Amino acid sequence: MTVLHNSCATYIIIISCLSIYDFQSNFLEVGQHMWERCDTASALLRRGCPLDRLEDPRGATVLLKNLKVTFHPKEQRHQQQHRQVTQLQPQSVLLHLRPGEPQSFEVKFKRVEDYPIDLYYLMDMSFTMEDDLPSVMKLGADLVEEMKNTTSDFRMGFGAFVDKTVMPYISTAEDKLRNPCKRTEPWPCAPPFTYHHVLSLTANGSLFTELVGEQRISGNLDLPEGGLDALMQAAVCEEQIGWRNVTRLLVFSTDGGFHFAGDGKLGGIVLPNDGKCHLHENVYTQANFQDYPSVTHIAEILRQKNIQIIFAVTKEVSHLYEGLRSIFPKCAVGTLSNNSHNILQIIVDAYNALTSEVVMENSKLPAGYHISYTSHCKDHRPMHGEQGRRCSNISIGDEVSFNVSITAPLCVTASQRPSRVIIKPQGYSEEVEVLLSPICECSCQKDAAPHSPSCSHGNGTLECGACRCKEGRVGTFCECNQAELSEVVDPYLCHRDNVSGVCSGHGECVCGKCVCHKSSKKPNHAYYGQFCECSDFSCDHYQGLQCGGHGRCVCGVCVCLPGFSGQACECPLSLESCLSQDRHVCAGRGDCHCGTCVCHDDRFQGPTCELCPSCPSVCTLHRECILCRAFSLGLNHMECEMRCAHLNLTLLGQANDLATVTPSSGHRCMEVDSEGCRVHFLLRTGQRRVHVHVALERECPSGPDVILITAVLSASVVVLGVALLLLWKLLTNIHDRREFARFQRELEQRRWTRVDNPIYKSAITTVVNPKYKEQ
């Protein structure tokens, strides 16, 4: 039996017709079936199910282990050295989960003072890091001294890496394998290696300084290093490194990038990294046989081993390691100086940053399960979603809490039931074990009676008040043999008439009776009736609501609430919605039908027939009568007396006097008479007569100022005449100047000399005798 948010009735059926009838009439209605005994608790009680027969299992949270968080004062460090430290509460929880119903519990975290720390320093020993080695040598004593302010239990270790010892990462020439740097002074370089574990975690800072001082720089060919190989071994070789279940820090120092999965193919290495420890005499032995690990593989190992990593890298490659912060669980990046003299400050700052933030994570949930977090940090403001997993700026002694809520899906079989979920803060070894126990059975199932006489003489098991039939038996009480049922007679009993289908198409015919179905679109909607002809969701709708929201659907027909009628209960019987402002039904101009006014005259509109856009206003209707009665304008005397006798006229002096009229309710009007004057009056309508207060002082427009108009016109004529004369003078002056200029040009063209005249011939002829000089 799958139990969701509904409860089930466990009323035991007594094998007698009278008892069965009494039970069904008391609880199940006619046409309802055994599966309809499951519903909400309130609905079952309302339908007559006895309270003591109600099966309503609820979820629960049980704390199996709940040690309180501890706090160690600095004054008692020596006394607390070997005692168990608890930062996370509780440690083990059992959740009884009802499907669809979340169960919540609180997880507390307190940053404990004097918490032990293990720090492993992993250093790049390629040639470019030679000037950094002296700073690392001094790191041991300095770091131990610095960490005394944080913890009295501090240990540190050391490891070195270069790269895989195959081409193209290093030169495989014999002399290069002995001394990759080609130098002998002040000392030759060390042979290349992948990863060398130098010092296990120890509290002896002097030993750290001594062993680091014995290290020699090596070398390789390409710029990226084999740091991920070394990082994997430093994380998984817990016994060799000496990791404890305390705060684990790994400092990764380099000035280069890193090779990752797939780069090993350049050296002919195709076997994937297996993520296991391969240290022999503190040397990584599988470097030339297994590829580099992938970034995500490293991230998962660091998460499993609760290692927080600090990248101490140079500025040139810091962007590469900044990209790892979103992948690695808890990670900090610091920028090294030229000779790593700031390495101590980087480690201290990174440690404070990593430990001041708590991020909750959990192991993989089974399919269908859902988990959510709500954080309550130092500011006491609850945060949800992804922000609900973390708290920042936590100092030593601060306590924060997380509300964890887990919801189970539909029940699964016993073999598929999950066993546990682990919840822990990133980078810490402490965890909360959450055991999951879904509630998939009712307690009454334990008292099941096999071969019960109540189930047709032993043809079924009586379980929680219902018969679970043997194979081949059907019916509410397993009374029918499925193999012996007549295929012709049985369906005939389930037809309402010759036209309708079997069980009206909404059920199955079992033992000559209809077993009705639920709606396929909405499981809460069910069919019922002898032939499944009835439903409570097939009634007419009005304004998007079944039965207009003013009734309930019973077997396809709306049963309206008092005050409503109609096929969809759309008609209110009250006239309230048809009353106009004067409390008349439809303003006396229409009839009220189903709460809506139907106006007699098409000119009138609106909910209560009060609007008439094409009708004249009440002021305009009485305009002629007021003008003739008060000012003798418009209508003649006889016609005025006949048409305007209904007016009760009161004459006032000025328009301002209308404001003093009491009561002031009515229509304030302003009309224009035939002389163009404004007439002000106040109009109040009664049952038979119209009461009018008229201001005798009209607002007539003043006549024109003849002198001013004459002066303006005369001045305008004079100014216009002078302007025209000036314009004419200007135009004639321009014309004369143009004509004179043209005359001057023509005169210049007529002046020429005789020599220049082509038709002139001189009267003098000069003859020269060529022989004159000779004589």
Side-chain angles (χ1 to χ4, degrees):
M1 175 181 289
T2 297
V3 183
L4 295 175
H5 293 286
N6 294 342
S7 305
C8 295
T10 60
Y11 201 96
I12 304 301
I13 303 175
I14 302 175
I15 187 63
S16 68
C17 295
L18 181 60
S19 298
I20 295 172
Y21 175 79
D22 289 342
F23 166 67
Q24 290 184 340
S25 63
N26 185 36
F27 175 63
L28 294 178
E29 299 178 1
V30 177
Q32 293 183 320
H33 304 281
M34 285 299 175
W35 54 263
E36 295 184 71
R37 298 180 313 155
C38 292
D39 205 336
T40 60
S42 58
L44 290 174
L45 293 173
R46 189 167 54 250
R47 288 162 53 191
C49 176
L51 181 61
D52 60 339
R53 297 297 186 181
L54 200 65
E55 189 75 22
D56 188 17
R58 312 303 304 181
T61 300
V62 181
L63 299 179
L64 301 180
K65 186 176 181 182
N66 189 28
L67 299 178
K68 293 184 178 180
V69 295
T70 57
F71 182 71
H72 297 166
K74 293 184 178 181
E75 294 79 7
Q76 301 176 3
R77 283 180 174 177
H78 61 282
Q79 300 177 8
Q80 305 290 348
Q81 188 74 21
H82 302 291
R83 297 187 182 182
Q84 183 180 2
V85 178
T86 303
Q87 296 186 120
L88 196 64
Q89 179 190 6
Q91 294 77 42
S92 182
V93 179
L94 172 62
L95 296 183
H96 295 288
L97 295 170
R98 179 171 177 170
E101 180 182 80
Q103 283 297 318
S104 301
F105 59 96
E106 186 182 39
V107 176
K108 296 180 180 179
F109 178 86
K110 189 173 186 178
R111 187 178 172 189
V112 175
E113 184 181 14
D114 201 32
Y115 197 75
I117 300 174
D118 284 352
L119 184 145
Y120 190 77
Y121 196 95
L122 190 59
M123 182 176 178
D124 177 9
M125 296 297 287
S126 60
F127 188 75
T128 54
M129 293 289 288
E130 183 177 20
D131 57 344
D132 300 89
L133 193 57
S135 298
V136 180
M137 290 172 55
K138 297 172 51 181
L139 180 64
D142 295 344
L143 192 56
V144 169
E145 185 66 26
E146 181 68 29
M147 283 298 178
K148 285 183 179 179
N149 300 323
T150 303
T151 178
S152 61
D153 189 2
F154 175 72
R155 303 193 310 165
M156 59 188 305
F158 184 80
F161 67 90
V162 182
D163 210 341
K164 294 183 183 295
T165 56
V166 296
M167 286 289 289
Y169 315 112
I170 68 166
S171 176
T172 55
E174 187 175 350
D175 58 335
K176 290 287 188 179
L177 289 176
R178 290 194 302 269
N179 183 6
C181 307
K182 284 187 176 182
R183 77 173 189 185
T184 57
E185 297 296 335
W187 50 73
C189 289
F193 57 92
T194 302
Y195 167 62
H196 179 206
H197 169 54
V198 179
L199 175 64
S200 298
L201 293 166
T202 177
N204 191 342
S206 300
L207 182 60
F208 181 92
T209 302
E210 178 183 349
L211 292 180
V212 173
E214 296 175 358
Q215 303 305 306
R216 288 186 296 163
I217 293 296
S218 184
N220 61 330
L221 295 179
D222 60 344
L223 183 60
E225 317 295 355
L228 294 191
D229 265 340
L231 189 56
M232 175 65 78
Q233 295 302 303
V236 298
C237 298
E238 295 183 85
E239 183 177 350
Q240 291 85 341
I241 303 299
W243 291 116
R244 300 176 296 173
N245 285 330
V246 296
T247 299
R248 297 178 175 183
L249 299 178
L250 194 151
V251 180
F252 186 96
S253 176
T254 183
D255 63 349
F258 51 86
H259 286 292
F260 50 86
D263 288 356
K265 295 180 180 180
L266 297 174
I269 303 173
V270 296
L271 188 65
N273 193 290
D274 60 5
K276 296 180 181 179
C277 181
H278 296 287
L279 286 184
H280 179 67
E281 295 182 354
N282 293 331
V283 176
Y284 180 34
T285 59
Q286 295 295 312
N288 297 343
F289 304 99
Q290 292 187 5
D291 193 7
Y292 300 98
S294 66
V295 172
T296 53
H297 192 182
I298 288 288
E300 183 59 29
I301 293 296
L302 293 176
R303 180 178 285 106
Q304 293 176 6
K305 304 300 182 182
N306 304 313
I307 296 176
Q308 306 178 53
I309 188 166
I310 301 172
F311 289 112
V313 297
T314 56
K315 182 178 180 181
E316 292 74 18
V317 295
S318 61
H319 65 282
L320 295 176
Y321 295 91
E322 285 287 351
L324 298 179
R325 297 183 64 176
S326 60
I327 303 174
F328 286 4
K330 292 200 75 173
C331 171
V333 179
T335 303
L336 281 173
S337 60
N338 294 332
N339 57 1
S340 296
H341 69 272
N342 65 333
I343 183 64
L344 177 61
Q345 190 62 40
I346 289 177
I347 294 175
V348 173
D349 292 345
Y351 169 75
N352 292 330
L354 290 173
T355 56
S356 65
E357 183 179 47
V358 176
V359 181
M360 302 300 293
E361 62 180 8
N362 55 269
S363 59
K364 185 177 180 181
L365 289 169
Y369 279 76
H370 176 73
I371 188 170
S372 62
Y373 295 84
T374 301
S375 62
H376 299 273
C377 304
K378 293 173 62 176
D379 57 2
H380 304 293
R381 291 190 306 169
M383 301 296 291
H384 308 279
E386 284 302 313
Q387 293 300 320
R389 291 176 175 263
R390 66 179 67 237
C391 283
S392 302
N393 300 322
I394 301 176
S395 304
I396 293 177
D398 289 341
E399 182 177 284
V400 295
S401 64
F402 300 85
N403 186 272
V404 184
S405 178
I406 298 180
T407 305
L410 297 178
C411 285
V412 295
T413 60
S415 60
Q416 295 175 323
R417 291 181 185 177
S419 56
R420 67 174 189 167
V421 173
I422 299 299
I423 299 175
K424 54 182 288 188
Q426 288 183 358
Y428 292 89
S429 59
E430 295 182 68
E431 61 186 27
V432 179
E433 181 186 41
V434 183
L435 302 178
L436 305 176
S437 176
I439 303 174
C440 294
E441 295 181 353
C442 293
S443 60
C444 59
Q445 289 180 263
K446 301 176 183 178
D447 302 325
H451 311 290
S452 173
S454 300
C455 300
S456 187
H457 307 288
N459 285 313
T461 300
L462 185 62
E463 186 178 276
C464 294
C467 288
R468 189 184 298 274
C469 300
K470 295 181 179 179
E471 185 176 357
R473 304 291 296 189
V474 293
T476 303
F477 306 107
C478 310
E479 68 271 19
C480 296
N481 190 327
Q482 194 171 11
E484 297 177 357
L485 291 176
S486 172
E487 297 181 358
V488 178
V489 178
D490 184 36
Y492 174 76
L493 298 175
C494 298
H495 283 271
R496 184 171 56 175
D497 49 44
N498 295 332
V499 180
S500 63
V502 176
C503 299
S504 304
H506 300 143
E508 297 178 358
C509 189
V510 180
C511 296
K513 296 181 180 180
C514 285
V515 178
C516 303
H517 294 160
K518 289 186 176 183
S519 172
S520 58
K521 296 182 179 180
K522 295 184 178 181
N524 293 332
H525 294 168
Y527 296 94
Y528 61 92
Q530 181 180 359
F531 302 103
C532 305
E533 74 277 10
C534 293
S535 68
D536 293 342
F537 57 91
S538 58
C539 291
D540 292 339
H541 286 65
Y542 176 69
Q543 292 182 347
L545 298 176
Q546 183 173 255
C547 298
H550 303 129
R552 62 186 183 93
C553 185
V554 179
C555 197
V557 179
C558 285
V559 178
C560 301
L561 297 175
F564 293 91
S565 64
Q567 191 171 357
C569 302
E570 73 277 12
C571 293
L573 300 179
S574 172
L575 300 177
E576 186 65 27
S577 60
C578 294
L579 296 179
S580 60
Q581 292 182 355
D582 56 0
R583 307 303 293 174
H584 288 87
V585 177
C586 300
R589 303 187 183 98
D591 298 322
C592 187
H593 296 285
C594 288
T596 304
C597 284
V598 179
C599 304
H600 297 156
D601 193 336
D602 293 339
R603 295 181 304 167
F604 292 93
Q605 302 174 4
T608 56
C609 301
E610 287 184 308
L611 303 178
C612 182
S614 60
C615 297
S617 64
V618 64
C619 297
T620 305
L621 287 175
H622 297 87
R623 173 179 174 274
E624 290 186 346
C625 289
I626 291 173
L627 291 179
C628 74
R629 290 280 303 274
F631 303 99
S632 301
L633 297 176
L635 301 176
N636 56 45
H637 180 73
M638 184 177 296
E639 188 176 5
C640 184
E641 289 294 334
M642 293 176 59
R643 292 176 53 183
C644 305
H646 64 285
L647 290 181
N648 187 355
L649 207 65
T650 302
L651 301 180
L652 301 176
Q654 299 179 351
N656 295 334
D657 297 339
L658 295 176
T660 61
V661 177
T662 56
S664 59
S665 60
H667 297 277
R668 181 73 180 266
C669 303
M670 190 277 295
E671 296 289 334
V672 180
D673 59 15
S674 57
E675 298 178 354
C677 298
R678 296 179 180 179
V679 177
H680 296 272
F681 55 92
L682 183 64
L683 189 68
R684 294 201 308 271
T685 57
Q687 295 181 350
R688 296 183 179 181
R689 297 182 64 83
V690 178
H691 301 273
V692 184
H693 291 76
V694 183
L696 293 178
E697 182 179 349
R698 297 182 296 168
E699 297 180 0
C700 297
S702 58
D705 193 340
V706 179
I707 298 176
L708 180 61
I709 294 174
T710 303
V712 171
L713 289 177
S714 301
S716 300
V717 171
V718 172
V719 172
L720 181 61
V722 172
L724 291 175
L725 286 175
L726 292 175
L727 179 62
W728 172 79
K729 184 61 178 176
L730 177 62
L731 294 176
T732 54
N733 190 21
I734 293 173
H735 180 267
D736 291 345
R737 288 179 179 274
R738 287 181 177 178
E739 289 296 324
F740 181 74
R742 186 167 62 85
F743 171 74
Q744 290 288 348
R745 287 195 301 272
E746 292 179 354
L747 186 61
E748 289 293 331
Q749 292 176 359
R750 291 194 182 98
R751 294 178 182 176
W752 58 72
T753 62
R754 295 177 179 177
V755 178
D756 296 331
N757 191 348
I759 64 174
Y760 174 76
K761 290 185 178 181
S762 177
I764 301 172
T765 302
T766 303
V767 179
V768 178
N769 184 3
K771 299 294 186 177
Y772 174 75
K773 292 293 183 181
E774 297 178 359
Q775 296 177 358

